[in-house]
Amino acid sequence: MNKTIETILQHRSIRSFTDQRLTEEEIRVLVESAQSASTSSYIQAYSIIGVTDQSKKRELAALAGNQPYVEKNGHLFVFCADLYRHDKIAGNKGEDVKASLEGTETFMVSVIDAALAAQNMAIAAESMGLGICYIGGIRNDLEKVAEILKTPEYVLPLFGFVVGHPANPSSKKPRLPFEHIYHENTYNVDEGDFQKHLTAYDETISSYYENRTNGKRADKWTEQITQNLKEPKRTYMHRFVKEKGFNKR
Amino acid sequence: MNKTIETILQHRSIRSFTDQRLTEEEIRVLVESAQSASTSSYIQAYSIIGVTDQSKKRELAALAGNQPYVEKNGHLFVFCADLYRHDKIAGNKGEDVKASLEGTETFMVSVIDAALAAQNMAIAAESMGLGICYIGGIRNDLEKVAEILKTPEYVLPLFGFVVGHPANPSSKKPRLPFEHIYHENTYNVDEGDFQKHLTAYDETISSYYENRTNGKRADKWTEQITQNLKEPKRTYMHRFVKEKGFNKR
């Protein structure tokens, strides 16, 4: 196994960082790593906003659910789906491409583009010995995020991303069994396999929590998932993305 | 610069592969690398379908725009946003979580989850000396893709992904200037900066094509982008993702 795959397989989210800021050079390497990811038909439909202003970081931390690591980290990035430049470019050439930009297809393209870039940044950061954590919590209030970061039309903040020097170790969370994620030739809907995989996985997860909490927790994954999905979250999203110009048709 | 970052920065899409198939072991390492990516609230909302059946590969290649490398490669994966298991799990516990699953928020979560996993696979593959290419072309006809792969409700194929031993080298395509992708604290809408970045980038891209084609092509990026976006593509997507249970509310 090579060093890169070791880094990938050792991933765990880090939620506690030292005060050490990333250097300009580190930020540049991370952003250039992000930019090297594949991009659909060369569209490059994303932007990355680095947040260094401490009051902005505090506001973002508050709306993301008061997670202290959103405020205290080596650097905070916000990844955005971005079609602003495409709209402008076409407009400058006298073309109206809104019908394209506003489609669900282009929405998917821009979200995928941004995510591929972010994951390149994650691996680059971890290969440098830094820790990372995605901050989906900023989607609690994207209206506010857009205000704080002054994003224009056709820009949709998707998630935050913190990087820094880890202060505390954390442990790798086991993933669903290979057989449950990976199908061959057709999607396997066999009930028996389904239950077998999930029963085994629930046991893995229970022991994982038991070990980590000295027996205080023994949650099963299927219970966590059901619990999390009971109440629809962020129901404003359907409206909001349209208001920003995405996913309208 | 470490080896992993070198791999990341050296990325180029590979569209021509030798006949050498990936081994079972390689496939497993790639899928496990994919699974190690971050996942929103541990939801693991994606699946990966490996396609080895030659007639299925041929069908997918045809609908993806007759790209020969979709048929001829070391292995073809199809990444899907997947909430099927979540629906089943909750159903088995007597809970109805459809309101959650069908929201735009969860649609975004599942698309991001799948993309993060795919990009981990890309870096893992490239670190092994393999080449990769994303196949957005399968979105030409997802109805057909879903039929071929027999995906159930709440599963949305997003893109194909080919891996293999490169037969021909290809060259790294320059990305937008760092300053154009990366903003600090607020999104920069300055017209002057915008034009300056894009003029410089258009020149870079023109020379890139001129060098590669011995002067036969000298496209500018802003022209390509405008051209590509003139006609809305895959306009069925808005309807289709809803039919599959995503992005409905």
Side-chain angles (χ1 to χ4, degrees):
Chain A
M1 191 176 301
N2 69 50
K3 194 89 183 145
T4 299
I5 292 178
E6 252 172 55
T7 299
I8 289 173
L9 296 179
Q10 281 310 304
H11 164 72
R12 65 243 12 232
S13 292
I14 297 292
R15 294 189 173 82
S16 172
F17 300 97
T18 72
D19 286 328
Q20 197 179 336
R21 293 289 173 86
L22 259 56
T23 64
E24 287 298 312
E25 181 54 28
E26 285 169 334
I27 292 168
R28 183 170 281 267
V29 169
L30 290 179
V31 171
E32 286 175 353
S33 294
Q35 289 192 260
S36 295
S38 293
T39 165
S40 181
S41 301
Y42 214 12
I43 191 172
Q44 306 180 73
Y46 63 93
S47 279
I48 306 169
I49 305 179
V51 189
T52 53
D53 180 314
Q54 208 53 40
S55 72
K56 284 184 194 291
K57 287 178 85 167
R58 206 168 305 127
E59 282 184 274
L60 291 169
L63 70 83
N66 275 314
Q67 301 164 321
Y69 46 97
V70 179
E71 198 179 332
K72 193 184 161 190
N73 47 53
H75 202 71
L76 167 62
F77 296 96
V78 175
F79 281 78
C80 305
D82 187 348
L83 301 167
Y84 172 82
R85 67 177 66 92
H86 307 83
D87 178 52
K88 275 263 179 242
I89 287 168
N92 289 341
K93 295 189 193 298
E95 300 285 348
D96 180 350
V97 295
K98 293 194 195 310
S100 236
L101 300 185
E102 295 177 352
T104 296
E105 159 70 10
T106 309
F107 176 50
M108 289 162 68
V109 160
S110 61
V111 171
I112 293 169
D113 251 33
L116 300 186
Q119 191 55 19
N120 255 16
M121 187 184 280
I123 302 303
E126 290 177 342
S127 79
M128 292 157 72
L130 299 166
I132 68 112
C133 188
Y134 282 86
I135 313 293
I138 68 161
R139 288 198 306 279
N140 287 340
D141 191 351
L142 286 185
E143 197 98 50
K144 195 79 183 290
V145 173
E147 254 175 62
I148 295 169
L149 305 177
K150 300 192 197 304
T151 51
E153 68 277 14
Y154 294 120
V155 175
L156 179 68
L158 294 173
F159 46 79
F161 182 100
V162 291
V163 192
H165 295 266
N168 284 312
S170 67
S171 53
K172 187 173 150 64
K173 268 168 121 178
R175 297 301 196 242
L176 280 165
F178 172 88
E179 296 73 20
H180 196 70
I181 285 285
Y182 186 65
H183 302 248
E184 231 181 82
N185 288 315
T186 52
Y187 192 98
N188 178 13
V189 288
D190 184 90
E191 256 324 300
D193 287 347
F194 187 89
Q195 290 308 338
K196 198 177 66 187
H197 299 154
L198 289 175
T199 305
Y201 188 53
D202 270 345
E203 280 166 22
T204 307
I205 296 303
S206 278
S207 336
Y208 166 80
Y209 283 118
E210 272 187 315
N211 285 334
R212 268 186 80 199
T213 61
N214 286 321
K216 276 187 215 121
R217 274 179 70 178
D219 320 27
K220 295 186 162 117
W221 186 74
T222 60
E223 285 165 5
Q224 283 188 353
I225 286 302
T226 307
Q227 203 55 41
N228 279 345
L229 293 169
K230 258 186 196 169
E231 284 302 313
K233 276 195 218 102
R234 303 166 185 158
T235 50
Y236 75 100
M237 201 59 79
H238 193 66
R239 169 189 58 78
F240 183 79
V241 300
K242 287 190 171 87
E243 282 171 17
K244 287 291 158 185
F246 293 80
N247 196 27
K248 286 168 80 168
R249 37 182 133 185
Chain B
M1 191 177 304
N2 68 50
K3 194 91 183 141
T4 299
I5 293 177
E6 252 172 54
T7 300
I8 289 173
L9 296 179
Q10 280 312 303
H11 166 72
R12 64 237 21 226
S13 292
I14 297 292
R15 293 189 174 82
S16 171
F17 301 96
T18 71
D19 286 328
Q20 198 179 336
R21 293 288 172 86
L22 258 57
T23 64
E24 287 296 313
E25 181 55 26
E26 284 169 334
I27 292 168
R28 183 170 281 267
V29 168
L30 291 179
V31 172
E32 287 175 353
S33 293
Q35 288 192 262
S36 294
S38 293
T39 163
S40 180
S41 301
Y42 213 13
I43 191 172
Q44 305 180 75
Y46 63 93
S47 280
I48 306 169
I49 305 178
V51 188
T52 53
D53 179 313
Q54 209 53 39
S55 72
K56 283 183 194 294
K57 287 178 85 166
R58 206 168 306 125
E59 282 184 274
L60 291 169
L63 69 82
N66 274 316
Q67 301 164 321
Y69 46 96
V70 179
E71 199 180 331
K72 194 183 161 190
N73 47 54
H75 202 69
L76 167 63
F77 296 96
V78 175
F79 281 78
C80 306
D82 187 349
L83 301 167
Y84 172 82
R85 68 176 66 91
H86 307 82
D87 178 52
K88 275 262 178 240
I89 287 168
N92 289 341
K93 295 188 193 301
E95 300 285 348
D96 180 351
V97 296
K98 293 194 195 308
S100 236
L101 300 186
E102 295 177 353
T104 296
E105 159 70 9
T106 309
F107 175 51
M108 289 163 69
V109 160
S110 60
V111 172
I112 293 168
D113 252 32
L116 300 186
Q119 191 55 18
N120 255 15
M121 187 184 281
I123 302 302
E126 290 176 343
S127 79
M128 293 156 70
L130 300 165
I132 68 112
C133 189
Y134 282 85
I135 313 294
I138 69 161
R139 287 199 305 280
N140 287 341
D141 191 351
L142 286 185
E143 197 98 50
K144 195 80 184 289
V145 174
E147 254 175 62
I148 295 170
L149 305 178
K150 298 192 196 305
T151 52
E153 68 276 14
Y154 294 121
V155 175
L156 179 69
L158 294 173
F159 46 79
F161 183 100
V162 291
V163 192
H165 296 267
N168 284 314
S170 66
S171 54
K172 188 174 150 65
K173 267 167 121 177
R175 297 301 195 242
L176 280 165
F178 172 88
E179 296 72 20
H180 196 72
I181 284 286
Y182 186 66
H183 304 247
E184 231 180 83
N185 288 313
T186 52
Y187 193 99
N188 178 13
V189 288
D190 184 272
E191 260 319 304
D193 287 346
F194 188 89
Q195 291 308 339
K196 195 178 67 189
H197 299 155
L198 289 175
T199 305
Y201 188 53
D202 270 344
E203 278 166 24
T204 307
I205 296 302
S206 277
S207 336
Y208 166 81
Y209 283 117
E210 273 187 315
N211 285 335
R212 268 186 80 200
T213 61
N214 285 324
K216 276 185 216 122
R217 274 179 72 178
D219 320 27
K220 295 188 162 116
W221 185 74
T222 59
E223 285 165 3
Q224 283 188 353
I225 286 302
T226 307
Q227 202 55 40
N228 279 345
L229 292 169
K230 257 186 196 167
E231 283 303 312
K233 275 195 219 102
R234 302 166 186 159
T235 50
Y236 76 100
M237 201 59 79
H238 193 66
R239 168 189 57 79
F240 182 79
V241 300
K242 287 190 171 86
E243 281 171 16
K244 288 291 160 186
F246 293 80
N247 196 29
K248 287 168 78 168
R249 35 181 132 186

